[in-house]
Amino acid sequence: MPLTTMILKMGEGLGNTCSIFILTLLFSLPLGLLVALLRMSKSKIISGITRFFISILRGTPLMLQLIAVTYGPYYLFGLTVSRNKLIPVVIAFAINYAAYFAEIYRGGIESIPQGQYEAAKVLGYSKFQTFFRIILPQVIKRIMPSVTNEIVTLVKDTSLAFTVSFQEMFTIGKQIANSQTSFMPFLVAGVFYYIMNAVVDFGMGKVENKLDYYK
Amino acid sequence: MLEMNNIEKSFGELEVLKDISIRVDKGEIVSIIGPSGSGKSTLLRCATGLETADSGEIIYEDGASFGLVFQNFNLFPHYSVLQNVMDAPVKVMKKDKAVAKEEALKWLDKMGLKDRADAYPYQLSGGQQQRVAIARALAKDPDILFFDEPTSALDPELTGEVLKVIKSLADLHIAMVIVTHEMAFAKDISDRVIFMDKGVIVDQGTPEEVFGSDNQRTKDFLGRYNNI
């Protein structure tokens, strides 16, 4: 197979790769914040349960979670595996990444000095206003480097969707590699991931610069 | 205007406030002095709701409102000086933005910081930050303003500028309660001085009365400060 055909074929899978990437971020970033707040709940039961779920999600392979979410409904309830695997793939990714983001948010939130809460309270801000106007903007700035790290990892992790035969770029590359007995598709995949992460790095660098207006 | 009656507060075994009662009248300037750990700051924190007293009552008559200036300023680092001052009036008091901005600039002007309105807290000296914090508290139109050791986190050369602006507030007829270790300042500015030690009020009265007190504990404490 000529290299250009290979690149074009794998390129067709990039749409799906990007779908996993973008949808995962879209769901896991807010979900992670919610999980962080539950984890920090004053109720020992709520924080305990949340802690347990985070430990499961961080303590088992994402690959396993992908298989569980995609095929679990079939084995457990006899439901047919949906033809569009994007849904189970994004669910698995979003939940897994939410667990990691939750711990990043928690670290950020706990690093904000108590005095910020006290100043807001004395000035009459509601708890909601205090969190969203005063605390969260400072948290976001502080956690930016860790979040960038996770996002870079996510770009590469999208390749795990091959385990459930979701037709994203790496899955297609692997199929070509098998049928052509060629190593070339893996090299092409590597270049694709590298380019995508270069874009991510550039974008996140811009965001970090934008937040650099204060210390 | 503010009445605190029989306030008690303990942290675990430690009794920090033992049956404290104070009253602050409209426009009155009260200084609270005393050694570290005497309960002065805890008393302010109870008055401003940052701590809950174990017992006793706190009454703000006629819905009087308060502001608090912290030892460590606690400005919002992601807001400019102007935003720090006008955000609460707009978001909490629902003031019109243009009005809030005009008032904020007026307070900053009074603090000698009008030209720094667009700066961010990290760009300011400690003394300037504390003056912004005072403007922020004033922008909420408080009837009573509490100061919790407002100059303790400052280098000695910056203390003067902050004390000067606090003094300039005297003509606004806002009541002020100032916890301070600056004895000369307390003596100069106050209508009334309260000396606290080990969670009780040992002595109180006009500056002349307290600084000339016959009470042995007051005399011992003040004796540690020269040039009053």
Side-chain angles (χ1 to χ4, degrees), chain A residues 79 131 142:
Chain A
L79 300 174
F131 186 73
R142 289 184 189 208

Side-chain angles (χ1 to χ4, degrees), chain A residues 113-126 129 133-135 137-138 212-215, chain B residues 45 48-50 66-68 70 74-79 87-88 91-92 94 120 122 136-137 140:
Chain A
Q114 197 55 29
Q116 293 289 302
Y117 291 92
E118 294 185 348
K121 183 173 184 193
V122 171
L123 287 167
Y125 289 91
S126 68
Q129 286 176 320
R133 296 191 66 76
I134 309 299
I135 306 301
Q138 299 182 52
D212 249 0
Y213 69 89
Y214 72 94
K215 282 185 182 122
Chain B
R45 291 175 63 83
T48 52
L50 293 177
F66 62 80
L68 170 62
F70 297 85
N74 292 336
L75 292 178
F76 303 134
H78 59 307
Y79 282 168
D87 195 63
K91 297 296 169 185
V92 177
K94 310 291 177 202
Y120 282 84
Y122 80 94
R136 180 175 72 172
K140 287 210 64 207

